Amino acid sequence: MKKINAIILLLAISFAVFGFSKFNKKAEIGLNIGNIAPELNYKNPEGKEISLQNIAKGKIVLIDFWASWCGPCRMENPSVVKAYNEYKDKKYKGANGFTIYSVSLDQRKDAWLAAIKKDGLIWEYHVCDFGGWNSIAAAQYGVNSIPTNFLLDANGVIVAKALRGADLEKELDKLVKK
């Protein structure tokens, strides 16, 4: 009985000092690890709006910012393609698969589409607002250099960002069901 009273007293003191919200904190929308990723809703090559929120439900998602004119992006694309092919069908803890939401900072549709084809970016979610460095999506995510990315868990929470090369695969491995 003394042990239970001590636990209750400890909890009461903790709530008084730290507040209940520290113990019942929900993720906030933002760009830091642990935040819920802000919504993105842009048009694909066919002009159809693709909502990040709709495709992300229950999936691991990589939001990948890039452009056809960006040399480092084009050099990174083989690593992204490799990760997609290797992880798209794996079983995840609390998630149904892995996909990529590619956000291009291109200004020309023909260059964007040619790069998608040439680099073998075979996933279905490619979007662009053709704003270049004035892209609304890039501004919303604080993107000031590319390539850059954000890895989301099945709840849309950012679990990692700025992953390049093998680092993406290491983070995906952490999410795979063992």
Side-chain angles (χ1 to χ4, degrees):
M1 189 66 163
K2 285 184 182 181
K3 218 176 204 177
I4 293 173
N5 287 339
I7 292 171
I8 291 171
L9 180 61
L10 183 60
L11 285 172
I13 291 169
S14 297
F15 289 148
V17 173
F18 299 109
F20 183 74
S21 64
K22 296 278 185 185
F23 294 94
N24 191 23
K25 190 173 181 183
K26 293 193 177 203
E28 298 176 9
I29 295 174
L31 300 175
N32 295 316
I33 292 173
N35 290 152
I36 296 172
E39 170 66 323
L40 294 170
N41 194 11
Y42 294 95
K43 292 183 180 177
N44 71 3
E46 292 78 38
K48 178 184 175 195
E49 286 196 0
I50 306 294
S51 163
L52 172 65
Q53 197 171 55
N54 286 343
I55 68 156
K57 288 179 183 168
K59 286 190 176 189
I60 305 299
V61 177
L62 180 72
I63 304 170
D64 185 41
F65 287 90
W66 74 291
S68 67
W69 45 262
C70 168
C73 300
R74 302 296 294 276
M75 289 185 341
E76 183 65 19
N77 277 345
S79 294
V80 178
V81 169
K82 180 179 182 267
Y84 176 75
N85 286 328
E86 188 171 328
Y87 289 89
K88 65 185 169 83
D89 297 321
K90 293 210 180 214
K91 304 292 181 208
Y92 295 89
K93 301 169 195 160
N96 294 324
F98 165 67
T99 194
I100 299 174
Y101 188 89
S102 288
V103 182
S104 173
L105 273 58
D106 274 287
Q107 292 181 300
R108 294 182 26 233
K109 186 175 182 177
D110 60 333
W112 174 45
L113 296 177
I116 290 170
K117 183 176 181 177
K118 183 173 183 181
D119 292 1
L121 310 181
I122 60 172
W123 48 91
E124 62 183 301
Y125 305 115
H126 295 275
V127 298
C128 187
D129 66 8
F130 301 106
W133 282 114
N134 294 318
S135 164
I136 297 166
Q140 186 178 356
Y141 271 72
V143 173
N144 53 28
S145 67
I146 52 175
T148 197
N149 55 47
F150 297 79
L151 185 63
L152 314 182
D153 70 9
N155 297 311
V157 174
I158 299 169
V159 295
K161 54 188 187 176
L163 301 168
R164 307 245 337 233
D167 290 339
L168 174 57
E169 293 183 35
K170 286 178 190 171
E171 289 299 322
L172 287 167
D173 277 337
K174 292 177 186 177
L175 301 171
V176 172
K177 188 185 286 186
K178 305 283 185 210

